[in-house]
Amino acid sequence: MGRVLLLLLLFLAMALAFHRAWLPPEWDPIQPLNLKAPRTPMTRLKLAWLQHDSQRCLAALQTSPLQWRVAQGLRAGQCPLPDAVRILGGPVATSPSSFLASCRLAVDWSLFVTDVAQPEALSAYGKSLRTIEHVGSYNCRDVRERPGALSSHARADAIDVSGFVLADGRRVLVSAWNDKGRDGVFLHAIRRSACRFFGIVLSPDYNALHAEHLHLEASNWALCR
């Protein structure tokens, strides 16, 4: 029995030592996240590691299709942003046209655009997305229903999405959440799929404060409502 255990431990040690030779990078949990690579069950784990590793996060962001730049002069004040970037564009435009984001939010947003919003629009309407409308990301304030608790917006870890504009100009607002037709199906599908990447997704189902937007938060929590 002891000999079998020893051989097993030796095999595991060799497998770990040479795992890069047989394990694709997108499946290797210790390899950096590459947003150009296929998604795997390891993607969410790699996202979680970005929360406290700014260099690894920026390396992942370099592989995204977003246009962005490092935001300067935001390291002081009541709500400092040490790793903030400004999103300037991407595969789908935003309105307003740019926004501040923590690096982790920027990576999650890239996945939201390419893996959630665009595919769900094509599935529901057969049309691509022209614009994603939002009502802001960075805001140095408390959680609205919890005075004294700093909001995730104060860290630029969240963005509130209010609507989607299709290539043909059709506008789908989050306020149409309870629509019984395609708009309602589309919006619910967006929430469900967004939870694959964002740790916290809050919809009109959560409370009245979210009746007109989806709160998308870069977090290692798991709350999808």
Side-chain angles (χ1 to χ4, degrees), residues 131-144:
T131 309
I132 300 175
E133 300 178 336
H134 66 90
V135 290
S137 55
Y138 178 64
N139 188 350
C140 187
R141 63 169 176 83
D142 291 343
V143 178
R144 298 197 188 281

Side-chain angles (χ1 to χ4, degrees), residues 1-15:
M1 183 67 179
R3 186 176 179 181
V4 172
L5 180 59
L6 181 61
L7 289 172
L8 179 59
L9 291 175
L10 181 61
F11 172 78
L12 289 174
M14 292 177 64

Side-chain angles (χ1 to χ4, degrees), residues 61 64-71 85-101 106 109 134:
L61 191 55
S64 85
L66 299 178
Q67 290 101 53
W68 59 279
R69 61 175 172 79
V70 174
V85 298
R86 181 167 288 281
I87 305 301
L88 303 171
V92 178
T94 61
S95 179
S97 59
S98 72
F99 61 91
L100 282 172
W109 179 260
H134 66 90

Side-chain angles (χ1 to χ4, degrees), residues 40-206:
T40 73
M42 291 295 105
T43 301
R44 186 63 185 266
L45 177 61
K46 293 185 179 194
L47 282 172
W49 284 7
L50 302 184
Q51 196 75 21
H52 304 291
D53 190 333
S54 59
Q55 294 306 309
R56 185 179 287 258
C57 185
L58 286 171
L61 191 55
Q62 292 281 2
T63 68
S64 85
L66 299 178
Q67 290 101 53
W68 59 279
R69 61 175 172 79
V70 174
Q72 304 292 337
L74 297 170
R75 295 178 176 271
Q78 184 179 352
C79 301
L81 299 178
D83 70 341
V85 298
R86 181 167 288 281
I87 305 301
L88 303 171
V92 178
T94 61
S95 179
S97 59
S98 72
F99 61 91
L100 282 172
S102 66
C103 180
R104 170 66 191 276
L105 177 63
V107 171
D108 285 6
W109 179 260
S110 180
L111 288 164
F112 176 72
V113 172
T114 60
D115 291 39
V116 178
Q118 191 69 279
E120 294 295 355
L122 289 168
S123 175
Y125 303 101
K127 307 284 185 183
S128 61
L129 277 180
R130 177 194 299 172
T131 309
I132 300 175
E133 300 178 336
H134 66 90
V135 290
S137 55
Y138 178 64
N139 188 350
C140 187
R141 63 169 176 83
D142 291 343
V143 178
R144 298 197 188 281
E145 64 269 37
R146 292 169 55 203
L150 207 60
S151 168
S152 56
H153 288 284
R155 304 185 301 273
D157 273 339
I159 185 169
D160 292 336
V161 170
S162 57
F164 303 86
V165 182
L166 302 175
D168 61 0
R170 177 171 180 165
R171 192 165 173 241
V172 184
L173 299 178
V174 174
S175 57
W177 185 256
N178 294 317
D179 177 78
K180 302 301 182 184
R182 274 194 301 179
D183 290 355
V185 171
F186 167 70
L187 292 169
H188 282 75
I190 287 282
R191 178 190 58 184
R192 182 173 60 254
S193 296
C195 294
R196 292 165 51 203
F197 305 115
F198 291 98
I200 297 177
V201 177
L202 303 178
S203 72
D205 284 344
Y206 182 63

Side-chain angles (χ1 to χ4, degrees), residues 202-220:
L202 303 178
S203 72
D205 284 344
Y206 182 63
N207 63 18
L209 292 174
H210 297 83
E212 297 184 345
H213 68 268
L214 296 172
H215 173 90
L216 307 177
E217 182 176 336
S219 169
N220 290 339

